[in-house]
């Protein structure tokens, strides 16, 4: 909830520390001289960042909700330099930048083009009217070459192709990866003609300033998981393939081949051995101190084209709309996870344990997703006159040189004093509870005593600060619905958001009080699929309650 309200502007400090804060590196101080009309410290900080770094690679450390994305975009427009914002969510593109940045820039009538998801294609919209369940699918291909489409002149998908000049371009990480993967496919098919996806990427590469917002979201790629086995009090049940038997009718041969590959994967001797080992580890009393993950090479990789599989999944949904299959929409969507796992060269076997129930999962990191983004960034980085700015409030220790040409180490820069030009964190109070909410068991929302205690506390806070000034966030969507229903029953209706929703990442909020329910506690084995050893796992994911150090992030508690 980045604030960009001039009402919060404070008196300016006399110095601005920008460059690297390595222990042995001298800190350079820059006088706060800025020709901009705005005296907002964030605008001044962005001006100084651009002045000091005319080109090059920057790792911009900032406090949470520091307003860096908005002010960097505004300053880029002030300089008449085309910027490309790569963001994790559509909300950041459409609200934080397309609205807020345009308000605070000094450029008259700024033009920012957002590259929307494929779902906004007019042809797909027409299909949604006929087959509404298509909207449930996580990814859809555009039906035709946009240049040949009768809606070319009016469709939001093609706006960047129609308009020759703009001040900024915004795109989500997922959409950019989809374009890049599509380009890989088109080039593999020998496309030499004009094509929308290739031309869009050419336009993106013309940006002077590339801003990668919430850059920590790049480091883990996209992970897909499937439950391979469930053990409840020693009774085991494997993945149920029976719902998919109906697909063996000749209409979905490529999807059926993929399902058979997944079956073979589950029968691999090393896969079965890994499942048994992980299950045994998870059954031990000290399971929480173990790294419950093993990596297994996939001997049955699906080699069919992604485009063909996605097209057949779409056909299955249309068949369901026409009552020609009994598959549920959840079972159909699970085919995307099967696709990701069977496409991966290595599969991670890991387990989560909640009470007497153990879930053994097969997970895969989408290597193609990460590699195409790395290649794209390296291609941009080859041009010496560009600024590439990675920014986040939780950058952590990831090596971002992997995304840069010749693995150049980016310059570490603070976004103003302590990464917080508005000194917002010094005005923040955190009141931690001494009660830990669990996802299952007697300390979960499923228990009436626990739920009643939490609802009572929330109502007391709402009475003190008022409904309009409070923003409530739960750990997940399911918990948010539970809390919302309980508050409504008690006569205190309130919208409940959930962690990692589009409204909790990089967008502004008028609320000044946040009630966080269960978010400070993270399952111990959360990152097991992405780490290789017990020590890595412990260091990456040991859970703790909020330690009140957002402005100093990343921060850890050691041996406590």
């Amino acid at each position: 909830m980045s604030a960009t309200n001039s009402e919060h502007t404070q008196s300016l400090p006399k110095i601005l520390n920008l460059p690297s804060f390595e222990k042995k590196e001298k800190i350079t101080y820059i006088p706060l001289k800025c020709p901009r009309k705005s005296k907002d410290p964030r605008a001044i900080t962005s001006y100084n960042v651009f002045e000091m770094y005319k080109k090059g690679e920057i790792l911009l450390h900032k406090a949470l909700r520091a307003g860096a994305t908005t002010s960097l975009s505004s300053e880029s427009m002030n300089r008449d330099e085309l910027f490309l914002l790569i963001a994790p969510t559509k909300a950041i593109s459409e609200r934080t930048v397309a609205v807020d940045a345009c308000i605070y820039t000094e450029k008259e009538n700024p033009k920012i083009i957002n590259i929307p998801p494929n779902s906004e294609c007019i042809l797909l919209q027409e299909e949604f009217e006929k087959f509404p369940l298509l909207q449930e699918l996580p990814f859809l291909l555009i039906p035709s070459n946009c240049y040949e489409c009768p809606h070319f002149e009016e469709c939001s998908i093609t706006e960047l192709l129609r308009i020759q000049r703009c001040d900024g371009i915004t795109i989500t990480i997922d959409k950019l990866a989809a374009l890049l993967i599509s380009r890989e496919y088109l080039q593999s098919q020998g496309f030499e003609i004009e094509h929308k996806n290739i031309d869009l990427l050419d336009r993106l590469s013309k940006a002077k300033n590339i801003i990668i917002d919430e850059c920590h979201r790049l480091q883990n790629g996209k992970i897909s998981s499937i439950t391979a086995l469930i053990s409840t009090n020693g009774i085991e049940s494997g993945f149920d393939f029976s719902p998919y038997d109906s697909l063996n009718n000749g209409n979905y041969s490529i999807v059926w081949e993929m399902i058979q590959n997944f079956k073979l994967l589950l029968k691999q001797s090393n896969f079965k051995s890994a499942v048994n080992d992980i299950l045994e580890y998870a059954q031990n009393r000290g399971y929480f101190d173990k790294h419950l993950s093993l990596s297994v090479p996939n001997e049955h990789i699906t080699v069919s084209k992604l485009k063909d599989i996605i097209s057949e999944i779409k056909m299955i949904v249309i068949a369901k709309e026409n009552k020609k299959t009994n598959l549920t929409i959840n079972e159909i969507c699970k085919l995307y996870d099967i696709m990701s796992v069977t496409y991966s060269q290595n599969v991670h076997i890991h387990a989560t344990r909640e009470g007497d129930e153990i879930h053994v999962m097969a997970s895969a990191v989408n290597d193609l997703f990460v590699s195409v983004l790395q290649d794209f960034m390296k291609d941009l980085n080859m041009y010496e006159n560009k600024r590439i700015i990675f920014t986040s409030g939780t950058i952590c220790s990831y090596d971002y040189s992997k995304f840069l040409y010749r693995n150049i180490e980016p310059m570490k820069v603070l976004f103003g004093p302590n990464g917080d030009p508005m000194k917002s964190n010094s005005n923040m109070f955190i009141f931690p509870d001494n009660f830990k909410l669990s996802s299952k068991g007697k300390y979960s929302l499923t228990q009436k005593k626990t739920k009643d205690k939490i609802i009572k506390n929330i109502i007391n806070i709402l009475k003190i600060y008022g409904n309009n000034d409070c923003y409530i966030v739960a750990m997940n969507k399911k918990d948010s619905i539970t809390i919302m229903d309980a508050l409504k029953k008690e006569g205190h209706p309130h919208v409940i958001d959930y962690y990692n929703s589009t409204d909790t990442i990089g967008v502004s909020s008028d609320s000044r009080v946040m009630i966080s329910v269960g978010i400070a506690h993270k399952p111990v084995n959360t990152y097991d699929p992405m780490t290789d050893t017990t020590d890595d796992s412990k260091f990456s994911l040991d859970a703790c309650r909020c330690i009140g150090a957002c402005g100093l992030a990343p921060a850890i508690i050691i041996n406590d």
Side-chain angles (χ1 to χ4, degrees), residues 59 212-219 390-392 395 400:
L59 191 58
I212 303 95
D213 194 29
E214 307 293 346
C215 62
H216 63 279
R217 300 287 289 269
L218 292 174
Q219 65 190 59
F390 297 91
T391 180
S392 172
I395 284 176
Y400 289 93

Side-chain angles (χ1 to χ4, degrees), residues 167-181:
D167 300 293
I169 304 168
T170 66
I171 188 169
T172 65
I173 296 173
D174 286 350
K175 175 63 178 179
L176 175 57
L179 286 175
L180 293 165
I181 292 171

Side-chain angles (χ1 to χ4, degrees), residues 216-268:
H216 63 279
R217 300 287 289 269
L218 292 174
Q219 65 190 59
N220 294 326
K222 294 182 73 66
I223 298 176
S224 297
S225 296
I226 306 171
T227 301
L229 182 144
I230 299 175
S231 175
T232 307
N233 293 320
I235 301 174
E236 299 176 5
S237 57
F239 186 88
D240 184 10
F241 283 96
S242 60
Y244 300 102
D245 290 343
S246 61
L247 299 181
N248 187 20
N249 57 13
N251 295 326
Y252 317 109
S253 58
I254 297 175
V255 167
W256 181 251
E257 178 189 354
M258 176 187 75
I259 293 171
Q260 299 313 300
N261 283 336
F262 185 52
K263 278 185 181 180
L264 293 171
L265 170 64
L266 298 188
K267 292 178 180 178
Q268 277 183 206

Side-chain angles (χ1 to χ4, degrees), residues 83-146:
F83 73 86
L84 167 64
L85 176 79
I86 304 171
T89 69
K90 182 180 174 184
I92 294 176
S93 298
E94 294 186 348
R95 288 157 55 183
T96 301
V97 176
V99 176
D100 292 348
C102 287
I103 292 174
Y104 290 99
T105 185
E106 295 178 8
K107 187 176 182 67
E108 294 186 6
N109 302 316
K111 177 65 178 177
I112 295 178
I113 295 178
N114 172 51
I115 300 179
N118 286 357
S119 59
E120 293 191 20
C121 163
I122 293 177
L123 291 179
L124 282 179
Q125 291 288 328
E126 293 172 351
E127 290 189 356
F128 293 160
E129 292 183 10
K130 293 171 61 179
F131 310 112
L133 285 177
L134 286 175
Q135 298 176 79
E136 301 292 327
L137 297 181
F139 183 77
L140 281 168
L141 298 170
I142 290 177
S144 67
N145 189 337
C146 289

Side-chain angles (χ1 to χ4, degrees), residues 442-457:
K442 65 179 181 178
Y443 297 116
S444 71
L445 286 171
T446 60
Q447 301 299 308
K448 185 178 185 304
K449 185 177 179 181
T450 300
K451 183 172 70 173
D452 289 348
K453 178 179 179 179
I454 290 171
I455 297 303
K456 181 181 178 181
N457 287 344

